[in-house]
Amino acid sequence: MLFEDPFHKVRDMVEQERSERHAFLHVCTQAWYAPSQKAPSTSWILEALVCELARRDPDAPGKPVAPGPEDLRRFLLDLQDERLRWAHGRTLEELCTLGAPENLAAFFQEHAGPPPAPPADLAAAGLAFYGQSTLLLHFLLEGAGRRYRPGCLSFLKQVFAGHADWPSCAQSFQPASAREIEDAFLAWALKEARASKSEIDPDVVQRALRRTAPAGSPGNAGAPSLAPSVPHPPR
C-alpha cells in the first residue's frame, strides 16, 4: 500500500499510478531474482528496468515509451558542462563496477584530484547516476534498431542469476565493446534530444565518457581510468 505525503506537493493520478507500478515491479524483481538471495534494489540495472517498465501503459506492456527530450537534454547538458561531467557521467564499466549510487562517495574519494575533485553534491550525482541508467537501458533495449537488445537481455539474465558485475556485462555484449556501445548511446541521445548545436555541442558530448585518452589530448574527458579497487556492486 502506498500513501501520499500530505505535506508534499500532491502528484497527479498519472504519476501516482506510475509510482504504484514502480513499487510493484520492485517486488517482482525480488520474485524473479536468484533463489535465496536478496535482489539489490538499488542496482543501476534493476532500477532502470523498473523505471522502463513502469513508464509503459499497463494495457500495452509490450509497447515501449521513449524517455522525454527534457531528460535527454539534462543528461547531455551535464556531460557538456566541465563542472558536472565527471560527477554526472558514468561509463558502462563504471555503472557495473559501482553498482549503485551508495558507492559513489568512495569512488570519487579514491579518484580525487585535482583534477578531478570529488563533487560537492553527492545527492545530485546519485540522481544523475539513476537518470543516465534509465536512459541507457532504454537505448540498449530499443535504440539503434535494437542492435544491442540481445546483449542487454543476456546481461539481464545474468543479473537475475546474481551476476551484475562488469565481466558478466562485457561478455553479454560481445563482440560489441563498451566504447562502441557508449558512442552509439550518446549519438542516439543527441538525436532524440532534438537540441540545436548552439545548445549542445555534439563533439564535446561524444568525448565525455572517454577515460583512456592521454591527459591533454582532445579526447581526454578530464577523468581517470577506473581502478580495480572500486567496490563491486552489492549482492
Side-chain angles (χ1 to χ4, degrees):
M1 183 177 293
L2 297 177
F3 296 92
E4 286 291 306
D5 190 333
F7 296 101
H8 287 77
K9 181 180 178 180
V10 177
R11 299 173 295 176
D12 60 36
M13 286 304 299
V14 172
E15 187 59 33
Q16 288 184 44
E17 289 175 359
R18 183 163 59 179
S19 179
E20 290 166 2
R21 291 196 298 274
H22 188 107
F24 173 70
L25 286 161
H26 268 298
V27 175
C28 291
T29 60
Q30 180 59 64
W32 300 331
Y33 205 67
S36 305
Q37 294 188 46
K38 183 175 172 23
S41 60
T42 59
S43 160
W44 76 273
I45 186 72
L46 292 184
E47 176 62 20
L49 179 63
V50 164
C51 288
E52 171 71 19
L53 297 178
R55 265 203 316 267
R56 301 183 180 189
D57 184 339
D59 294 326
K63 184 177 180 180
V65 177
E70 65 281 359
D71 295 327
L72 289 159
R73 278 197 296 271
R74 186 182 306 113
F75 167 62
L76 295 170
L77 286 169
D78 283 356
L79 292 186
Q80 182 172 255
D81 191 332
E82 289 183 354
R83 299 164 299 175
L84 296 175
R85 184 181 304 144
W86 170 235
H88 291 188
R90 303 272 62 83
T91 65
L92 181 56
E93 181 179 358
E94 288 167 359
L95 286 171
C96 293
T97 306
L98 288 163
E102 53 259 37
N103 292 323
L104 282 170
F107 172 75
F108 288 133
Q109 197 60 45
E110 180 173 355
H111 295 288
D121 193 340
L122 276 175
L127 290 174
F129 184 95
Y130 278 145
Q132 178 185 347
S133 301
T134 303
L135 297 175
L136 176 59
L137 182 74
H138 181 83
F139 164 74
L140 293 173
L141 288 172
E142 308 297 339
R146 291 190 166 184
R147 184 190 318 160
Y148 302 108
R149 185 182 179 92
C152 185
L153 295 177
S154 176
F155 180 46
L156 283 168
K157 184 176 180 180
Q158 291 292 323
V159 169
F160 280 108
H163 308 295
D165 54 277
W166 168 237
S168 296
C169 179
Q171 183 177 32
S172 296
F173 284 99
Q174 287 181 350
S177 67
R179 172 64 65 81
E180 175 194 326
I181 293 169
E182 289 158 5
D183 285 351
F185 167 53
L186 293 176
W188 167 84
L190 285 163
K191 179 181 178 182
E192 295 298 316
R194 300 193 291 272
S196 65
K197 289 186 178 180
S198 62
E199 181 184 10
I200 298 174
D201 186 336
D203 292 334
V204 172
V205 168
Q206 286 285 177
R207 299 195 305 266
L209 297 180
R210 296 185 182 176
R211 302 288 191 247
T212 57
S217 72
N220 182 46
S225 298
L226 188 67
S229 55
V230 173
H232 289 284
R235 293 187 180 177

